[in-house]
Amino acid sequence: MQTFIDAYSWVNIAFLLKGLWLTIEVSVASIILSYIIGAILGLVRYIEVKYLSAIVGFIIDLIRNLPLLLIFFFTYFGLPNMGVRLSIPASAILALTIFESAMLAEIIRAGIVSVDKGQMEGARANGMTYWQTLRYIILPQAQVKMIPALVSQFISLIKDTSLATIIMLPELMYHAQIIYGQNSNYIIPMFLALAAMYFVVCYALSLLSRYIEKRVN
């Protein structure tokens, strides 16, 4: 019991919260960037632009089948050899954005495809242009269908930030490792603290998605 009391001292908790804050910052930046890029790539795949859609599809499939850890290595160790030097947080955000953009692109494309084709045909028959139909009819319906899958992917992204410890990003997992590295008796308390903090953040996101989904419906 004393071990847990010592492990959860205010100094250690404050240190963990500092790491959690960086985890949230990196996650939010990656979510915003990957959603924007993923939406563009998903639309390109859906509208089937000659040659471009095929190229984008190949790139998406390539990235989706690469380990995220490899992309972290590329952004942190590979880019400097190409003359591009980024800070550790920027490298982590770039790696997560690259990987998640490919994942989100397929979710968004699938969401658009899931909308009944009759919606497009009916809107076009009533005089709307292709892009007007896509913007005002198809995308709003697709967005509702995508919410569960998008949130699930965002939650995975938050948990994937822990992989950035490999490039020494001082996020939540990295801070926990420093604490129990100083005292091996703190390993279990730190794992429990990590589980609790990741759960709170991810569960809060899940609740937010349910609220949004209900409001939209």
Side-chain angles (χ1 to χ4, degrees):
M1 186 65 182
Q2 187 61 42
T3 298
F4 280 81
I5 294 174
D6 293 340
Y8 296 144
S9 67
W10 171 244
V11 173
N12 287 345
I13 294 299
F15 191 61
L16 286 177
L17 290 174
K18 183 178 179 181
L20 177 62
W21 180 247
L22 183 59
T23 293
I24 293 173
E25 287 183 326
V26 169
S27 297
V28 170
S30 302
I31 285 172
I32 294 172
L33 291 173
S34 60
Y35 182 75
I36 294 171
I37 297 172
I40 294 171
L41 297 178
L43 280 172
V44 171
R45 288 271 282 156
Y46 172 75
I47 61 180
E48 297 182 354
V49 180
K50 191 174 182 180
Y51 301 123
L52 180 59
S53 292
I55 294 171
V56 168
F58 173 76
I59 293 172
I60 288 173
D61 289 338
L62 175 64
I63 294 173
R64 290 177 69 211
N65 288 283
L66 291 177
L68 178 54
L69 201 59
L70 179 62
I71 300 177
F72 275 119
F73 281 136
F74 172 73
T75 58
Y76 187 67
F77 298 109
L79 288 181
N81 290 327
M82 301 168 62
V84 180
R85 295 188 177 278
L86 300 173
S87 65
I88 293 176
S91 296
I93 291 171
L94 178 59
L96 288 167
T97 298
I98 291 172
F99 186 75
E100 295 300 328
S101 293
M103 296 297 188
L104 293 178
E106 282 303 291
I107 292 174
I108 292 169
R109 184 193 66 82
I112 298 173
V113 170
S114 70
V115 178
D116 189 88
K117 291 183 179 179
Q119 299 285 324
M120 175 66 78
E121 295 169 356
R124 296 300 302 278
N126 282 299
M128 296 182 72
T129 66
Y130 178 83
W131 291 106
Q132 285 176 330
T133 304
L134 194 62
R135 178 179 178 183
Y136 297 110
I137 305 297
I138 305 299
L139 288 179
Q141 295 182 66
Q143 192 69 35
V144 176
K145 295 174 180 289
M146 288 183 235
I147 290 176
L150 288 174
V151 173
S152 177
Q153 195 59 44
F154 292 155
I155 289 173
S156 294
L157 185 154
I158 293 171
K159 292 184 287 187
D160 285 343
T161 57
S162 62
L163 294 175
T165 55
I166 198 69
I167 61 172
M168 296 176 291
L169 178 72
E171 45 73 65
L172 181 57
M173 181 70 76
Y174 186 82
H175 279 210
Q177 290 176 342
I178 290 176
I179 293 172
Y180 68 68
Q182 297 173 347
N183 189 333
S184 59
N185 293 325
Y186 292 170
I187 292 179
I188 298 301
M190 286 302 104
F191 283 171
L192 292 174
L194 286 173
M197 290 182 178
Y198 278 119
F199 173 78
V200 168
V201 173
C202 294
Y203 188 62
L205 185 57
S206 297
L207 292 177
L208 178 61
S209 73
R210 293 175 193 171
Y211 172 76
I212 294 173
E213 195 170 1
K214 288 181 180 178
R215 288 298 297 259
V216 171
N217 288 331

